[in-house]
Amino acid sequence: RFAQFSQFWDLNTLGLEPGDELLYYFEVWDNDGVNGSKSTRSSLLTYEMPTSEEMDKKTEENNELIKKELESSIKEAKQLKDEFDKMERDLLNKKNPNWEDKKKIDDLLQRQKELNSKIEQVQKTFKENLSNQSDYKEYDPELQQKQQELEKLFEQVLNPEMKEMLEKLEQLMDQLNKDKTLDQLQEKKLTNEELEKELDRMLALFKQLEFEQKFSDTKEQLEKLAEKQDELSKETSNQKENKAQKDSLLKQQDAIKESFEEIKQELEKLDSLNQELEQPNEMPDLDEEQQQTEQQMKESKENMQKSNMKKAGENQKKASEQMSEMAQQMEQAMESMEMQQMEMDMQSTRQILENLIKVSFDQEDLLTRSKGVNVYNPQYLQLMKDQYKLIDDLKMVEDSIQELSKRVFQIESFVNEQLGDINKNLEQAVKLLEARQPAASASAQQYVMTSVNNLALMFQEIMQQMQEQMAKQMPGSQMCQKPGGQRQSMSSLRQMQKQLNDKMSQQMKEGKNPRGESGMSKELAQMAAQQAALREALRKLNDELNKDGKKGMGNLEQLQKQMEQTETELVNKQLT
C-alpha cells in the first residue's frame, strides 16, 4: 500500500554553504501495537546547494531581465499615457461615447492590465534576487539599506488606487457616461505619467545598485584571492625539493591565475555597468597593477619549474601585494565616489528646498491677490500671467526632483504623488482663472500650496538624513584614519555657516527692511531653513564625536543654542 505525506523542513537552519551537498532519507513507522512498530525507509535523496558562481550567474541573468522589462514597461506606460490623452480629446468632440469608443477604451484597459502584470513579474524577479543573495552574501549596511529602499519602491509602484481606477473606468464604460468617463480618462493619463516617471527612476536606481553590488563583490574577490596568494607564497618559500608537493603548488598557482582571469572579466563587466549609468563614475585605472600581477604569477611558475622555490615565493608575495593594492584602490575610489555624490546630492536637495519655499510664498502671494479681485480689472490679466510663470517655475523644480530621485534612494514614491497633485491643481487653477472664477481658483491654489509645503517638509527630512550620513562617514572613514580629520569636518560646517552669515550681512548693508518687503520675507525664511539644517548637522556631529563621553572637541551645545536663537530672529524678521 502507498500513502502520501508532506513534511516541512527549513534547510536554512542547517547553515549550508554554496556548493554543499546534503544526503537525506525519510523513515516512517506504523502503529502496530500488537507486534510492535515496523519501519521503512525511502531511498537516499540528494539536495545540492548551487555554487557561488552558479548563484552569481543566475543573479546576473535576473538583473538583465529586470532591466529589459523595466525599459519595455517605461515605453508602454508612455504610449498608454499618450493614447489615453488622445482618447480624451476624441470624446470631447462627441456628444456621447459610442460602441467603437467603448471598444477602444476596453483595449487600452486590457493593455494596462498586461502592463501591471509585467511590473508584478519584475517585482517577483527582484525579490527572488534579494532572497538568493541573502543565502550566500552579506553586503555592508548601506547597500542593504538601498536594497530595502528599492524593494519598497517596487512594492509601491502599483498602488491599490490604480486598480480601483481601472475597475471604475470599466464600470463607467458600461454606462457610457461621457463626463465621468472623461474625468477618469484624465486621471488615468496622469497616473500613467506618474508610473512612467516612477519606472524610469526605478531603472536608474536599480542600475546604480547593481553597479555598487558588482563593485563590492569584485573588490571582495580580489581581497580573498590576495590572501590565498599570500598563503601560497609562504607555503612555497618553505618548500624543499619534493616533486609531488611541487606539482601540488603548481596546480594551486594555476588555479589562482585562473581566478584572477575571472576577476579581470568581472572588472570589464563592472566597467560596462558603469557606462550604463546616467552619470558614470570615475573608475580607477588598474591596468598596470593587472599586468604586474600577471607577470609575477608567470615568473613564479617559471621559478617553481626550475625548483627555485624561494624566488617563486617572492614572486607570489608580490602578486598578492599587487592584488591587495588593486582592492585598496577600488575601496578608496568607492569612498571618494560616495562622498562626491553625497555632496552633489546635498547641494541639489538644498536648492530644491529653497525653490520649493520660494514657490510656496509666490503661490501664497497669488492666492492673496486673487481674493476679491475684480475680474475686469487690468491687474487680473497680470494674475493669470503670474500663475503661468509659477507653472514654469514648478516645472523646473519638478525636473530637478526627478533627476535627484534617480540617485537618492530615500526619496519615496510619495514625491511623484504630490507632484501629480500639484500639476492637476495648477491646471485647474488656470482653467478657473481663465473662466473668470477667481474664488473657485483660490481653492485649487490652496491645494497647490499644501502639496508644495508637503514636499518641502520631506526634502527637509531628506537633507537631515544626508547630513547625518555624512557626519557618520566623516568620523568613521576619514577622521579616524588621519589626524585633523575632525577639524576638516568642522571646517565644512564652518564654511557653510560663514556663507550664511555673509548673506545676512549683505542684506543689512543693503539696508533692506524685512518687515516691509514680501521678497525679503522669503529670503529670511530660506535663511532660517538653512540655519536649522546647519544646527541639526552640528548636533549630529556633536553626538557622534562625544559618544565616548570624553568631549574631545568640547561641548558644542552653546553653539547650537546660538544658532537656534538666530533661527528665531530670522523667523520673526529681526535681522540685527
Side-chain angles (χ1 to χ4, degrees), residues 9-122:
W9 187 15
D10 186 3
L11 295 180
N12 290 325
T13 59
L14 300 180
L16 296 176
E17 297 290 333
D20 282 352
E21 184 179 281
L22 174 68
L23 299 178
Y24 66 98
Y25 61 86
F26 291 97
E27 185 172 10
V28 294
W29 287 263
D30 64 20
N31 58 354
D32 189 346
V34 177
N35 301 311
S37 297
K38 296 175 287 297
S39 67
T40 182
R41 282 188 183 184
S42 70
S43 57
L44 202 60
L45 304 171
T46 305
Y47 174 78
E48 294 182 2
M49 281 283 288
T51 63
S52 297
E53 291 76 15
E54 290 171 339
M55 288 181 170
D56 283 338
K57 185 179 179 182
K58 179 62 176 174
T59 297
E60 288 181 5
E61 290 173 354
N62 282 345
N63 285 346
E64 290 303 314
L65 179 62
I66 289 170
K67 289 186 288 187
K68 181 181 176 182
E69 292 299 316
L70 280 176
E71 287 168 354
S72 170
S73 297
I74 292 169
K75 290 179 183 177
E76 180 66 5
K78 184 179 186 311
Q79 288 176 359
L80 281 170
K81 177 195 70 176
D82 294 340
E83 291 185 37
F84 274 113
D85 186 35
K86 182 178 181 301
M87 194 72 227
E88 180 189 0
R89 293 197 305 271
D90 289 345
L91 284 184
L92 279 171
N93 299 321
K94 294 183 178 182
K95 187 175 181 180
N96 280 307
N98 55 32
W99 182 87
E100 289 183 359
D101 296 325
K102 181 179 183 306
K103 180 69 170 64
K104 287 179 183 177
I105 294 178
D106 282 342
D107 290 341
L108 287 176
L109 293 177
Q110 183 58 38
R111 284 174 57 188
Q112 185 75 59
K113 289 178 182 178
E114 290 171 1
L115 173 60
N116 292 357
S117 297
K118 182 187 288 188
I119 295 171
E120 287 173 353
Q121 185 57 49
V122 173

Side-chain angles (χ1 to χ4, degrees), residues 377-505:
N377 189 315
Q379 291 182 356
Y380 190 79
L381 292 176
Q382 186 60 46
L383 278 177
M384 293 172 60
K385 288 180 182 178
D386 290 345
Q387 187 66 70
Y388 274 116
K389 182 182 180 302
L390 196 63
I391 290 176
D392 293 337
D393 292 345
L394 269 167
K395 177 60 180 165
M396 293 175 61
V397 176
E398 182 179 353
D399 292 342
S400 299
I401 290 175
Q402 182 66 15
E403 284 306 308
L404 182 66
S405 72
K406 293 180 181 180
R407 304 191 301 270
V408 179
F409 285 77
Q410 296 101 313
I411 296 178
E412 299 183 9
S413 55
F414 162 83
V415 170
N416 276 331
E417 294 174 18
Q418 292 295 315
L419 288 171
D421 289 343
I422 288 171
N423 290 331
K424 182 172 65 176
N425 286 301
L426 277 174
E427 186 177 343
Q428 184 70 6
V430 168
K431 282 182 180 179
L432 291 168
L433 283 174
E434 290 175 344
R436 307 284 173 169
Q437 299 177 34
S441 176
S443 176
Q445 290 174 333
Q446 184 65 56
Y447 282 123
V448 171
M449 272 183 56
T450 301
S451 294
V452 169
N453 291 339
N454 287 340
L455 284 179
L457 286 172
M458 201 201 86
F459 276 94
Q460 175 78 16
E461 291 176 7
I462 290 173
M463 193 159 73
Q464 289 177 0
Q465 290 174 17
M466 287 180 174
Q467 290 163 346
E468 183 177 355
Q469 191 174 354
M470 284 191 78
K472 282 181 180 178
Q473 288 195 0
M474 285 177 179
S477 60
Q478 295 176 5
M479 296 180 182
C480 294
Q481 290 174 15
K482 50 185 179 184
Q486 294 178 357
R487 285 189 288 275
Q488 287 180 2
S489 175
M490 285 298 295
S491 175
S492 170
L493 291 178
R494 178 179 176 276
Q495 182 63 28
M496 287 189 282
Q497 182 67 60
K498 183 178 183 301
Q499 291 171 357
L500 180 58
N501 294 349
D502 291 344
K503 190 186 295 185
M504 288 188 280
S505 297

